[in-house]
Amino acid sequence: MAGAPEGEVPIRAITNGIHTRSWLSHEMAELYARYFGPRFLEKPADHAVWERTEEIPPGELWRIHQSRRERLVFSP
């Protein structure tokens, strides 16, 4: 609506946000809670929580990734 007065534009906000608890798989939520602590679920946007990403062993992250991928690809 180019040129329309701001009050007449029906769009109020655009967001790329997600609902973390419903977006993450159960396995990833458990992994994050184990390495980030319960604060992750309370404040998933807190950068201090995500600074601990390096603590997750790559093998453990890969195992969960593979499990989720298999479920996606091979599920009936």
Short mmCIF file of all heavy atoms in Angstrom, two decimals, residues 12-52:
data_model
loop_
_atom_site.label_atom_id
_atom_site.label_comp_id
_atom_site.label_asym_id
_atom_site.label_seq_id
_atom_site.Cartn_x
_atom_site.Cartn_y
_atom_site.Cartn_z
N ARG A 12 1.39 -4.62 11.33
CA ARG A 12 1.92 -3.96 12.52
C ARG A 12 3.36 -4.37 12.81
O ARG A 12 4.12 -3.59 13.35
CB ARG A 12 1.04 -4.27 13.71
CG ARG A 12 -0.32 -3.65 13.60
CD ARG A 12 -0.95 -3.50 14.97
NE ARG A 12 -2.14 -2.70 14.86
CZ ARG A 12 -3.37 -3.17 14.93
NH1 ARG A 12 -3.57 -4.45 15.11
NH2 ARG A 12 -4.41 -2.37 14.82
N ALA A 13 3.70 -5.61 12.49
CA ALA A 13 5.04 -6.09 12.80
C ALA A 13 5.37 -7.29 11.93
O ALA A 13 4.47 -8.03 11.52
CB ALA A 13 5.16 -6.47 14.27
N ILE A 14 6.63 -7.46 11.67
CA ILE A 14 7.13 -8.65 10.97
C ILE A 14 8.20 -9.24 11.87
O ILE A 14 9.10 -8.53 12.31
CB ILE A 14 7.72 -8.29 9.59
CG1 ILE A 14 6.63 -7.70 8.71
CG2 ILE A 14 8.34 -9.53 8.96
CD1 ILE A 14 7.15 -7.19 7.39
N THR A 15 8.09 -10.52 12.14
CA THR A 15 9.07 -11.15 13.01
C THR A 15 9.49 -12.49 12.44
O THR A 15 8.72 -13.16 11.77
CB THR A 15 8.50 -11.34 14.44
OG1 THR A 15 9.49 -11.99 15.23
CG2 THR A 15 7.24 -12.19 14.44
N ASN A 16 10.72 -12.83 12.69
CA ASN A 16 11.22 -14.15 12.31
C ASN A 16 11.39 -15.01 13.55
O ASN A 16 12.11 -15.98 13.53
CB ASN A 16 12.56 -14.02 11.58
CG ASN A 16 12.38 -13.43 10.21
OD1 ASN A 16 11.34 -13.57 9.60
ND2 ASN A 16 13.40 -12.76 9.72
N GLY A 17 10.75 -14.62 14.62
CA GLY A 17 10.87 -15.33 15.87
C GLY A 17 10.21 -16.70 15.82
O GLY A 17 9.37 -16.98 14.97
N ILE A 18 10.60 -17.54 16.75
CA ILE A 18 10.03 -18.88 16.87
C ILE A 18 9.64 -19.13 18.32
O ILE A 18 10.11 -18.44 19.22
CB ILE A 18 11.03 -19.98 16.43
CG1 ILE A 18 12.28 -19.92 17.30
CG2 ILE A 18 11.35 -19.86 14.96
CD1 ILE A 18 13.13 -21.14 17.24
N HIS A 19 8.79 -20.09 18.53
CA HIS A 19 8.48 -20.56 19.88
C HIS A 19 9.44 -21.72 20.14
O HIS A 19 9.26 -22.82 19.61
CB HIS A 19 7.02 -21.02 19.96
CG HIS A 19 6.66 -21.48 21.33
ND1 HIS A 19 6.53 -22.81 21.63
CD2 HIS A 19 6.42 -20.79 22.46
CE1 HIS A 19 6.22 -22.93 22.91
NE2 HIS A 19 6.15 -21.72 23.44
N THR A 20 10.47 -21.44 20.90
CA THR A 20 11.58 -22.38 21.07
C THR A 20 11.15 -23.75 21.53
O THR A 20 11.59 -24.76 21.00
CB THR A 20 12.62 -21.79 22.04
OG1 THR A 20 12.98 -20.49 21.59
CG2 THR A 20 13.85 -22.66 22.12
N ARG A 21 10.28 -23.82 22.52
CA ARG A 21 9.89 -25.12 23.07
C ARG A 21 9.19 -26.00 22.03
O ARG A 21 9.34 -27.21 22.05
CB ARG A 21 8.99 -24.94 24.28
CG ARG A 21 9.73 -24.46 25.49
CD ARG A 21 8.77 -24.32 26.66
NE ARG A 21 9.41 -23.68 27.78
CZ ARG A 21 9.69 -24.30 28.92
NH1 ARG A 21 9.35 -25.55 29.06
NH2 ARG A 21 10.29 -23.66 29.88
N SER A 22 8.42 -25.41 21.13
CA SER A 22 7.73 -26.23 20.14
C SER A 22 8.55 -26.42 18.87
O SER A 22 8.30 -27.34 18.11
CB SER A 22 6.36 -25.64 19.80
OG SER A 22 6.49 -24.35 19.27
N TRP A 23 9.53 -25.57 18.64
CA TRP A 23 10.34 -25.67 17.43
C TRP A 23 11.44 -26.71 17.55
O TRP A 23 11.76 -27.42 16.61
CB TRP A 23 10.95 -24.30 17.13
CG TRP A 23 11.68 -24.22 15.84
CD1 TRP A 23 11.15 -24.14 14.59
CD2 TRP A 23 13.10 -24.19 15.67
NE1 TRP A 23 12.14 -24.06 13.66
CE2 TRP A 23 13.37 -24.09 14.29
CE3 TRP A 23 14.18 -24.24 16.55
CZ2 TRP A 23 14.64 -24.05 13.77
CZ3 TRP A 23 15.46 -24.18 16.04
CH2 TRP A 23 15.67 -24.09 14.66
N LEU A 24 12.04 -26.85 18.74
CA LEU A 24 13.12 -27.81 18.95
C LEU A 24 12.58 -29.22 19.15
O LEU A 24 11.53 -29.41 19.75
CB LEU A 24 13.91 -27.45 20.20
CG LEU A 24 14.87 -26.29 20.11
CD1 LEU A 24 15.47 -26.03 21.48
CD2 LEU A 24 15.95 -26.54 19.10
N SER A 25 13.34 -30.17 18.64
CA SER A 25 12.97 -31.56 18.91
C SER A 25 13.23 -31.85 20.39
O SER A 25 14.00 -31.15 21.06
CB SER A 25 13.81 -32.51 18.05
OG SER A 25 15.16 -32.50 18.47
N HIS A 26 12.60 -32.91 20.86
CA HIS A 26 12.78 -33.31 22.26
C HIS A 26 14.26 -33.60 22.55
O HIS A 26 14.80 -33.20 23.58
CB HIS A 26 11.91 -34.53 22.54
CG HIS A 26 12.00 -35.04 23.93
ND1 HIS A 26 11.49 -34.37 25.01
CD2 HIS A 26 12.59 -36.16 24.44
CE1 HIS A 26 11.74 -35.04 26.11
NE2 HIS A 26 12.40 -36.14 25.79
N GLU A 27 14.92 -34.27 21.60
CA GLU A 27 16.33 -34.62 21.80
C GLU A 27 17.22 -33.38 21.92
O GLU A 27 18.10 -33.30 22.76
CB GLU A 27 16.85 -35.49 20.65
CG GLU A 27 16.16 -36.82 20.50
CD GLU A 27 15.02 -36.78 19.51
OE1 GLU A 27 14.49 -35.69 19.21
OE2 GLU A 27 14.64 -37.86 19.04
N MET A 28 16.98 -32.40 21.04
CA MET A 28 17.80 -31.18 21.08
C MET A 28 17.52 -30.37 22.33
O MET A 28 18.43 -29.81 22.93
CB MET A 28 17.57 -30.33 19.83
CG MET A 28 18.16 -30.92 18.57
SD MET A 28 19.95 -31.21 18.65
CE MET A 28 20.55 -29.53 18.64
N ALA A 29 16.27 -30.31 22.75
CA ALA A 29 15.93 -29.59 23.97
C ALA A 29 16.62 -30.21 25.18
O ALA A 29 17.15 -29.50 26.04
CB ALA A 29 14.41 -29.57 24.17
N GLU A 30 16.66 -31.54 25.23
CA GLU A 30 17.36 -32.22 26.33
C GLU A 30 18.86 -31.94 26.29
O GLU A 30 19.48 -31.70 27.32
CB GLU A 30 17.12 -33.72 26.27
CG GLU A 30 15.76 -34.15 26.75
CD GLU A 30 15.59 -35.66 26.71
OE1 GLU A 30 16.50 -36.38 26.23
OE2 GLU A 30 14.54 -36.13 27.17
N LEU A 31 19.44 -31.99 25.10
CA LEU A 31 20.87 -31.71 24.94
C LEU A 31 21.19 -30.29 25.40
O LEU A 31 22.11 -30.07 26.17
CB LEU A 31 21.29 -31.90 23.49
CG LEU A 31 22.75 -31.60 23.17
CD1 LEU A 31 23.64 -32.74 23.67
CD2 LEU A 31 22.94 -31.38 21.70
N TYR A 32 20.42 -29.33 24.93
CA TYR A 32 20.65 -27.93 25.31
C TYR A 32 20.47 -27.72 26.81
O TYR A 32 21.26 -27.03 27.43
CB TYR A 32 19.71 -27.01 24.55
CG TYR A 32 20.01 -26.86 23.09
CD1 TYR A 32 19.07 -26.35 22.23
CD2 TYR A 32 21.24 -27.25 22.54
CE1 TYR A 32 19.33 -26.20 20.87
CE2 TYR A 32 21.50 -27.11 21.20
CZ TYR A 32 20.55 -26.58 20.37
OH TYR A 32 20.81 -26.44 19.04
N ALA A 33 19.45 -28.33 27.39
CA ALA A 33 19.23 -28.18 28.83
C ALA A 33 20.40 -28.77 29.61
O ALA A 33 20.82 -28.21 30.62
CB ALA A 33 17.92 -28.84 29.23
N ARG A 34 20.95 -29.88 29.12
CA ARG A 34 22.07 -30.52 29.81
C ARG A 34 23.33 -29.65 29.77
O ARG A 34 24.03 -29.53 30.76
CB ARG A 34 22.34 -31.89 29.18
CG ARG A 34 23.35 -32.71 29.95
CD ARG A 34 23.40 -34.18 29.55
NE ARG A 34 23.67 -34.42 28.15
CZ ARG A 34 22.79 -34.92 27.26
NH1 ARG A 34 21.57 -35.22 27.64
NH2 ARG A 34 23.13 -35.11 26.01
N TYR A 35 23.59 -29.01 28.64
CA TYR A 35 24.81 -28.22 28.51
C TYR A 35 24.62 -26.74 28.81
O TYR A 35 25.56 -26.07 29.23
CB TYR A 35 25.42 -28.39 27.11
CG TYR A 35 26.07 -29.73 26.97
CD1 TYR A 35 25.38 -30.80 26.42
CD2 TYR A 35 27.36 -29.95 27.43
CE1 TYR A 35 25.97 -32.05 26.31
CE2 TYR A 35 27.96 -31.19 27.33
CZ TYR A 35 27.25 -32.24 26.77
OH TYR A 35 27.84 -33.48 26.68
N PHE A 36 23.43 -26.21 28.61
CA PHE A 36 23.18 -24.79 28.85
C PHE A 36 22.50 -24.54 30.19
O PHE A 36 22.46 -23.42 30.67
CB PHE A 36 22.32 -24.19 27.75
CG PHE A 36 22.89 -24.28 26.37
CD1 PHE A 36 22.06 -24.20 25.28
CD2 PHE A 36 24.24 -24.45 26.14
CE1 PHE A 36 22.56 -24.27 23.99
CE2 PHE A 36 24.76 -24.52 24.86
CZ PHE A 36 23.91 -24.44 23.78
N GLY A 37 21.90 -25.57 30.76
CA GLY A 37 21.16 -25.42 32.00
C GLY A 37 19.71 -25.04 31.73
O GLY A 37 19.33 -24.71 30.61
N PRO A 38 18.88 -25.10 32.76
CA PRO A 38 17.46 -24.82 32.60
C PRO A 38 17.18 -23.38 32.17
O PRO A 38 16.12 -23.09 31.64
CB PRO A 38 16.86 -25.12 33.97
CG PRO A 38 18.01 -25.04 34.91
CD PRO A 38 19.23 -25.43 34.13
N ARG A 39 18.11 -22.51 32.38
CA ARG A 39 17.94 -21.10 31.98
C ARG A 39 17.70 -20.98 30.48
O ARG A 39 17.03 -20.06 30.02
CB ARG A 39 19.17 -20.31 32.40
CG ARG A 39 19.05 -18.85 32.17
CD ARG A 39 20.25 -18.15 32.75
NE ARG A 39 20.18 -16.74 32.42
CZ ARG A 39 21.21 -15.95 32.44
NH1 ARG A 39 22.40 -16.43 32.76
NH2 ARG A 39 21.08 -14.69 32.12
N PHE A 40 18.23 -21.91 29.73
CA PHE A 40 18.04 -21.91 28.28
C PHE A 40 16.56 -21.90 27.92
O PHE A 40 16.12 -21.16 27.06
CB PHE A 40 18.73 -23.12 27.65
CG PHE A 40 18.12 -23.54 26.35
CD1 PHE A 40 18.34 -22.78 25.21
CD2 PHE A 40 17.32 -24.65 26.27
CE1 PHE A 40 17.77 -23.15 24.01
CE2 PHE A 40 16.75 -25.02 25.08
CZ PHE A 40 16.98 -24.26 23.94
N LEU A 41 15.77 -22.72 28.59
CA LEU A 41 14.35 -22.80 28.29
C LEU A 41 13.59 -21.57 28.76
O LEU A 41 12.57 -21.21 28.19
CB LEU A 41 13.74 -24.06 28.90
CG LEU A 41 14.25 -25.37 28.30
CD1 LEU A 41 13.71 -26.55 29.09
CD2 LEU A 41 13.86 -25.48 26.84
N GLU A 42 14.09 -20.92 29.79
CA GLU A 42 13.44 -19.71 30.31
C GLU A 42 13.77 -18.48 29.48
O GLU A 42 12.92 -17.62 29.28
CB GLU A 42 13.87 -19.47 31.76
CG GLU A 42 13.44 -20.57 32.71
CD GLU A 42 14.18 -20.49 34.03
OE1 GLU A 42 14.86 -19.48 34.29
OE2 GLU A 42 14.07 -21.45 34.80
N LYS A 43 15.03 -18.39 29.02
CA LYS A 43 15.47 -17.22 28.25
C LYS A 43 16.32 -17.67 27.06
O LYS A 43 17.54 -17.50 27.06
CB LYS A 43 16.26 -16.28 29.14
CG LYS A 43 15.45 -15.71 30.28
CD LYS A 43 16.24 -14.70 31.06
CE LYS A 43 15.38 -14.13 32.16
NZ LYS A 43 16.06 -13.07 32.88
N PRO A 44 15.70 -18.25 26.04
CA PRO A 44 16.49 -18.78 24.93
C PRO A 44 17.24 -17.72 24.13
O PRO A 44 18.16 -18.04 23.39
CB PRO A 44 15.44 -19.49 24.08
CG PRO A 44 14.16 -18.87 24.44
CD PRO A 44 14.28 -18.45 25.86
N ALA A 45 16.91 -16.45 24.28
CA ALA A 45 17.60 -15.39 23.54
C ALA A 45 18.80 -14.83 24.30
O ALA A 45 19.51 -13.96 23.80
CB ALA A 45 16.63 -14.27 23.21
N ASP A 46 19.07 -15.33 25.50
CA ASP A 46 20.17 -14.84 26.32
C ASP A 46 21.50 -15.29 25.72
O ASP A 46 21.80 -16.48 25.67
CB ASP A 46 20.02 -15.37 27.75
CG ASP A 46 21.04 -14.80 28.71
OD1 ASP A 46 22.03 -14.19 28.27
OD2 ASP A 46 20.84 -14.99 29.93
N HIS A 47 22.31 -14.35 25.29
CA HIS A 47 23.58 -14.68 24.64
C HIS A 47 24.55 -15.39 25.58
O HIS A 47 25.37 -16.18 25.12
CB HIS A 47 24.22 -13.41 24.07
CG HIS A 47 23.47 -12.86 22.91
ND1 HIS A 47 23.55 -13.40 21.65
CD2 HIS A 47 22.59 -11.82 22.83
CE1 HIS A 47 22.76 -12.72 20.84
NE2 HIS A 47 22.16 -11.76 21.53
N ALA A 48 24.46 -15.14 26.86
CA ALA A 48 25.34 -15.82 27.82
C ALA A 48 25.11 -17.32 27.79
O ALA A 48 26.04 -18.10 27.98
CB ALA A 48 25.11 -15.27 29.23
N VAL A 49 23.89 -17.74 27.56
CA VAL A 49 23.57 -19.17 27.47
C VAL A 49 24.25 -19.77 26.25
O VAL A 49 24.89 -20.82 26.31
CB VAL A 49 22.04 -19.38 27.41
CG1 VAL A 49 21.71 -20.83 27.11
CG2 VAL A 49 21.39 -18.94 28.71
N TRP A 50 24.14 -19.10 25.10
CA TRP A 50 24.66 -19.63 23.85
C TRP A 50 26.18 -19.60 23.76
O TRP A 50 26.77 -20.25 22.92
CB TRP A 50 24.03 -18.89 22.67
CG TRP A 50 22.58 -19.24 22.57
CD1 TRP A 50 21.53 -18.50 23.02
CD2 TRP A 50 22.03 -20.43 22.04
NE1 TRP A 50 20.35 -19.16 22.79
CE2 TRP A 50 20.63 -20.34 22.18
CE3 TRP A 50 22.57 -21.57 21.45
CZ2 TRP A 50 19.77 -21.35 21.76
CZ3 TRP A 50 21.71 -22.56 21.02
CH2 TRP A 50 20.33 -22.45 21.17
N GLU A 51 26.84 -18.86 24.64
CA GLU A 51 28.30 -18.84 24.64
C GLU A 51 28.87 -20.21 25.03
O GLU A 51 30.03 -20.50 24.78
CB GLU A 51 28.82 -17.76 25.59
CG GLU A 51 28.58 -16.36 25.05
CD GLU A 51 28.96 -15.28 26.03
OE1 GLU A 51 29.39 -15.60 27.17
OE2 GLU A 51 28.81 -14.10 25.67
N ARG A 52 28.05 -21.06 25.62
CA ARG A 52 28.50 -22.39 26.04
C ARG A 52 28.35 -23.44 24.94
O ARG A 52 28.53 -24.63 25.18
CB ARG A 52 27.74 -22.81 27.29
CG ARG A 52 28.11 -21.95 28.50
CD ARG A 52 27.48 -22.49 29.73
NE ARG A 52 26.05 -22.26 29.65
CZ ARG A 52 25.32 -21.71 30.61
NH1 ARG A 52 25.88 -21.37 31.73
NH2 ARG A 52 24.04 -21.52 30.45
#
